[in-house]
Amino acid sequence: MEQNNGTLRTDDDTSGMLRTAWDFVENTGRSIFLTGKAGTGKTTFLKEVMAGSRKRPIVVAPTGVAAINAGGVTIHSFFQLPFSPYVPGAKVENKFDFSREKRKIIASIDLLIIDEISMVRADLLDAIDAVLRRFREHDQPFGGVQLLMIGDLAQLTPVVTPEDERILKPYYSTPYFFASKALQQIDYVTIQLEHVYRQQDASFINILNEVRNGHPSEAVLAKLNSRLSPQPLPAREGSGYIRLTTHNNIANNYNESELRKLSTPAYTYRAEIKGTFPEYSYPTAEALVLKEGAQVMFVKNDPSGDHRYYNGRIGRVMEAGDNRLTVYCEGDSEAIEVEPLEWENTRYTLNEKTREIEAEVQGTFRQLPLRLAWAITIHKSQGLTFDHAIIDANQSFAPGQVYVALSRCRTLEGLLLASPLEARSIINDERVDSYIAQQEYEAERSICQLPLLKQEYERYLLLQLFDFRSVLALQETMVRIFAEFFYHSHASLKQLHDQALMDLRQRVLDVAGKWQQIIQSMPYEGLHEADFQDRVMRSAGYFSDQLREILAKPIELSAKVETQNKQAARRLDNALPDLRQACLSRRYLLEKMAEMGFSVDNYLHEKQMSMLDALGEDDVKSKRQRKPKASKAPKEVKPKTWEISLQLYQDGMKPDLIAKARSLTLGTVIGHLTRYVESGEVSFDDLVPADHQQAIRRVITKIGVTEGSTAIKNLCPPDITYDEIRLVMQHMQQKKES
C-alpha cells in the first residue's frame, strides 16, 4: 500500500476497502470506525493518514504504550481527563484550565484519530465529546470534529472495575465505545478490512475466524488441540518459542524462574531517562537484567535500515557484558550487536510560524530495545507477530484474549498449546455480535452513498462558510451580561450591544439564511460554474464587511470595561474573548474566500489558518487591568523547532532525512525550511526538484491558480506533492512582486 498526498494507491484489488476508507477520511465529513481482523493493515492505514492527509489530524490512544506505538498521546493527557468514570452531563475541566496552546490545537484540528478503540470505554468517549464542545461547536457532537476510530472489537476490551460498573450502569447498557451518547448522535460508517497480511495459510485463517466469532466448531477445537505441546515444553534449549499468558504475574514469575536457572553472570542495563516520561509508558524495564542464554524479544524496529530485527522478534543473548551485548536470532548468519535506542514521549504543539501541529518531545527513554521473553502477557502481545509461540490461555477471563493470542502466530505449525483449549475459554460478547451485525448493514448503505456524500461534503462546507449562528449566540450572551451587570454603569455600551444584536439578525443572519437556501437548492454541477463562484466571492466580502462594521466597536469598547463586581468581571472575561475570536476567525476566513474563491482545499486550509490568526491575537482579557506579577528568573532559551531543521539542513541533510531523523512529516520539515528560502540560507531547488518545478509551472501556465492546488495536482504527475505545488505558487508570486 502506498499513499501520495491526497490519493491512496494500493498494491492489489483486495485493498479496495482501504481506498474506500481513505475516500471517507479525505473527501467527506463522515466519521469512520475502521475495523478488521488482526493483521489486516489498520496500523499501516493510520500511518498513511498521518503522513498524507490534507486535514489536520492528531492521534490519541487509551494506554501509554499504545500511544507511543501509534506516534500519538494518551487520551487522558491530551484532553486533561481524570481517570475516574465520566457521568454524562457532568462538568469536566474548566475551559481556562487548558493552556492557550492546547486550546489552539483543539480548535484547529479536522480529524481525531483514536487508536485501539476497542479498549476505550463509552464514558471516556463522552468525556472527549464534552471537551471538544467547549472549544469548538457547542451544539455539535465532538465539536464538529471528524473521528477515525481504529480497532477490533474481537480483541482486547475496555477495563471496568466493579466500582466503575456500579457508577456507569445507570447510564450505559455496555462499556464498549459504541454505547457513547455522543457517538449515537452522529452518522458514522463502519469499514471492515478483510484481507489478512499476517497469515497466508487459508486453513489457519479459517480457524482464527471461527475463534474470532466466538463459536468455534468441534473440528476447529480438535485442530487447535492437536497442537498441544508434549512435555517438557520448549524453553531454554534454543527453541525460540515465547509463552503468551493471561496474567502479568504468570509471565513475570515464569521469566524470573527461567532467568534464575541460567548459571551465567547477570548484568543490569539501566535506562537513561530525560525530561518527562511516565512510568506507565516505559517500553521495557528501567533496570533490565540479562544473562548469556536469556531468551529476549526486541521491542522496537531496527532504525538502521538493515532490518536486522523488528518489534516482536525473538532471540537469545549470546554475549553479555558491561559494554557489549549480542543477540542471536534463528535464521541469521551472525549475532546482532544490540545498541541502546531512544523512545520519545511527545505532546502536540502548534508551530506559530508554519501553523502546523507538531509533536514536541517532552522526554526520552533510552535503553536496549529488549525485554525478557520466555513469556509475556497476551495484552502486551497485541500488535506483534511471532514465528513460534506457546499459548497458555485456558485461564482467559475477557472476550478476545484467546483470539489475540492465537492470531499473533504466522502459522498453525508455529503454535503450541500449554494446556487443552476448551470452548468455555473462548469468551464471546453478544453485545458485540449484535453491534457488528447492525454495522455491516449500515456500512453497505454508506459505501453505496459515498459519491453523493463527497458531493454533499463540499456543499456542507460551503453552507458552513455562511453559518453565523455561533457568532449570534455569543452576541446574545454579551447582551445578557450587559443587561444584568452594566445596565446603569455602561448604559450607552449596553445600547450599542443591543443594536449590534439587532443588526446581526437583520443584516447577517436573515441575509445568510436566504443565501444558504440558494446554495442548498443549487444542483451540484452549478456550484462550480464561474458565475456562481463569483457570487460566492462577493457574498464572502459582504459578510466580512458586515461583521466588522457591526461588532468591531462593541468588542473594542467592552475590553476597556472595569468593574469591582467579581461575578460580572468573570462573566465578561469568559464571554468577550469567545466573541472576539469567533468574529475575527470568521472575518479572516471570509476575506480569504472573497480573495481566493471557494474550494474544499482552500476552505480547509484557510479555516484553520483563520482560527489560529484569531487565537493568536492578544486575548481581550490581557488588555484589561491586571496586577503586575513578580518577575521570574529567565528560562533557558531552547532552539525553535524550525531552527533545528535548518541546522540539520546546513549540516548536509536533505529534507526527507531530516523528517526521518526528527520523526516529523516531510511537509512539516519543508515548512520549516521554506522560511529560509528568501534569505538564501536554503535552496529552493533542494525543496522542489527542477523537473517538478517545470511540471507544476506548465500546469499553472495552462489553467492558472484560481481553481486551487487540487486542480493543479490532478494534472501533475502523481509523485508531485501538494507542498511542492504550494511552494512553486509562492515562489512565482514572490518573483512577480519583486
Side-chain angles (χ1 to χ4, degrees), residues 137-155:
E137 302 295 331
H138 306 304
D139 58 345
Q140 294 291 320
F142 302 102
V145 173
Q146 183 183 20
L147 305 183
L148 171 57
M149 302 168 285
I150 300 176
D152 180 8
L153 284 166
Q155 298 190 40

Side-chain angles (χ1 to χ4, degrees), residues 269-286:
Y269 302 89
R270 297 197 175 276
E272 180 184 353
I273 302 168
K274 294 181 179 178
T276 301
F277 205 109
E279 188 173 347
Y280 61 76
S281 295
Y282 288 176
T284 186
E286 181 181 5

Side-chain angles (χ1 to χ4, degrees), residues 642-661:
W642 55 86
E643 294 173 345
I644 297 172
S645 294
L646 176 64
Q647 184 60 56
L648 293 174
Y649 172 83
Q650 291 175 335
D651 290 342
M653 292 178 71
K654 293 293 185 182
D656 58 336
L657 294 178
I658 297 173
K660 185 177 180 181

Side-chain angles (χ1 to χ4, degrees), residues 196-208:
V196 178
Y197 294 93
R198 181 176 293 146
Q199 292 91 15
Q200 302 300 320
D201 177 26
S203 174
F204 187 36
I205 290 174
N206 289 335
I207 290 172
L208 292 177

Side-chain angles (χ1 to χ4, degrees), residues 29 39 41 58 75 103 136 166 179 184 193 224 229 247 258-259 265 275 341 364 374 388 397 409 417 470 500:
I58 63 166
I75 292 171
R103 283 156 35 208
R136 300 175 58 93
R166 184 188 67 78
Q184 291 172 4
L193 306 179
L224 286 170
S229 173
H247 294 74
E258 292 298 309
L259 189 66
L341 294 181
T364 58
W374 285 286
H388 302 98
F397 56 88
C409 302
L417 296 182
S470 60

